[in-house]
């Protein structure tokens, strides 16, 4: 059954205990990259989709703002003001006029620099956790507006579900579709891939007229989402960034090929990569695909996931 997407009830006057927030990863069912803007960002048209791969951020009272972590990337991620979690908490405190005091802890499972927006997810979780801890009583729309100042993907991960993203990705509108659970296999790699590097490579290829024509509007994809047929959806998936990711990491073509040879309805790069996602017919097919991909030796790990799921929420 699809996880409910409604906004959870939150403490209205803060809490003296610990708040724990679960936040999903995202994939892009459609990622159309437009020209480079004057502000240094690209104009995007994307269909975000939240999937059942989660990080957790907990928050408890403290006399200053601190961050600790465990799990994926522990020891390599900065825990100071350069971390999006800390920046999100500081911005919420500034906007609401509360002291930026909390002990934050991240339990990380989403791969770093994997094209799944793990850092943005953690920032979204920090906003929801601190809102509950401090009792700032922000609506989800207000939190999403603050999230847009933190990063392009952060507003979507406050909201979750499936949504259209425009601008640099920060303007988010839910996609209305029938309640359907889609089954995916997520194949991760040992090393990450820089999103800025991928954008630069795409710009280079376009300037040299080496890249395919940019994707058009995602109208067919949004129609496919309403049909509830994974075979129909498979025909409409697309990612302008894929050509750049494959140029920078040619071995990812082997992972995509392994997915298709194992029966995936569609296989593509997730966001800027290097994670790949593979569409399955149903849950048993997804388990089979995951086992085949692991056995292929073309990825670090592969596991089944479903979507859409709710965004950052207190658990």
């Amino acid at each position: 059954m699809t996880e409910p997407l409604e906004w959870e009830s939150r403490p209205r006057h803060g809490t003296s205990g610990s708040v724990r927030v679960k936040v999903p990863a995202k994939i892009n069912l459609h990622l159309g990259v437009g020209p480079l803007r004057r502000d240094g960002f690209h104009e995007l048209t994307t269909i975000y989709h939240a999937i059942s791969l989660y990080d957790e951020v907990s928050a408890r009272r403290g006399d200053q703002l601190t961050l600790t972590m465990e799990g994926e990337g522990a020891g390599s991620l900065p825990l100071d003001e350069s971390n999006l979690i800390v920046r999100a908490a500081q911005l919420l405190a500034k906007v609401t006029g509360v002291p930026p005091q909390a002990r934050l802890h991240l339990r990380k499972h989403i791969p770093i620099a994997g094209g799944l927006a793990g850092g943005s997810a953690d920032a979204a979780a920090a906003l929801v956790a601190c809102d509950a801890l401090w009792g700032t009583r922000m609506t989800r729309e207000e939190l999403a507006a603050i999230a847009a100042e933190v990063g392009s993907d952060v507003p979507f991960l406050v909201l979750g579900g499936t949504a259209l993203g425009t601008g640099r990705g920060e303007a988010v509108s839910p996609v209305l579709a029938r309640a359907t659970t889609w089954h995916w296999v997520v194949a991760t790699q040992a090393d990450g891939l820089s999103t800025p590097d991928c954008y630069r490579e795409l710009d280079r290829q376009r300037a040299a007229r080496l890249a395919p024509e940019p994707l058009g509007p995602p109208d067919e994809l949004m129609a496919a989402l309403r049909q509830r047929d994974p075979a129909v959806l498979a025909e409409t998936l697309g990612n302008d960034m894929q050509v750049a990711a494959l140029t920078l990491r040619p071995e990812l073509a082997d992972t995509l090929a392994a997915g298709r040879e194992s029966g995936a309805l569609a296989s593509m790069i997730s966001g800027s990569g290097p994670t790949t996602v593979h569409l399955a017919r149903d849950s048993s097919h997804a388990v089979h695909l995951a086992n085949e991909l692991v056995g292929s030796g073309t990825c670090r790990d592969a596991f089944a996931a479903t979507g859409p799921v709710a965004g950052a929420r207190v658990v």
Side-chain angles (χ1 to χ4, degrees), residues 243-283:
V243 64
L246 288 173
T247 300
L248 296 174
R249 296 282 289 276
E251 66 275 16
L252 296 177
D254 296 334
T255 314
L256 296 177
R260 291 189 293 266
E261 290 165 5
S262 300
L265 300 180
S267 297
M268 68 176 182
I269 303 291
S270 175
S272 58
T275 301
T276 58
V277 292
H278 310 262
L279 180 59
R281 292 188 300 272
D282 51 35
S283 59

Side-chain angles (χ1 to χ4, degrees), residues 9-87:
S9 59
R10 292 167 292 145
R12 296 180 62 85
H13 299 291
T15 178
S16 58
S18 177
V19 176
R20 186 165 61 93
V21 171
K22 183 168 73 169
V23 64
K26 67 85 189 162
I27 60 175
N28 301 83
L29 307 184
H30 173 104
L31 181 52
V33 181
L36 187 65
R37 309 188 320 186
R38 289 185 177 181
D39 62 4
F41 292 97
H42 288 77
E43 193 71 26
L44 300 181
T45 301
T46 187
I47 301 296
Y48 289 118
H49 187 69
I51 61 170
S52 58
L53 168 62
Y54 297 98
D55 281 353
E56 288 186 2
V57 172
S58 61
R60 63 178 63 245
R61 294 287 178 179
D63 56 8
Q64 57 184 330
L65 186 60
T66 61
L67 173 62
T68 55
M69 73 168 289
E70 62 182 291
E72 185 88 12
S76 62
L77 281 181
L79 303 178
D80 57 15
E81 293 185 1
S82 63
N83 190 294
L84 290 182
I85 290 177
V86 176
R87 287 164 56 184

Side-chain angles (χ1 to χ4, degrees), residues 89-142:
Q90 289 174 331
L91 184 57
L92 178 64
K94 179 179 178 181
V95 169
T96 58
V98 302
Q101 298 173 344
R103 288 184 289 164
L104 304 176
H105 182 73
L106 168 63
R107 295 182 62 190
K108 189 148 192 67
H109 303 284
I110 302 172
I112 298 168
L116 298 168
S120 296
D122 300 337
L127 288 172
V128 173
C130 289
D131 172 65
L133 181 72
W134 297 335
T136 49
R137 303 174 62 183
M138 306 291 283
T139 66
R140 59 178 173 176
E141 290 79 12
E142 289 169 335

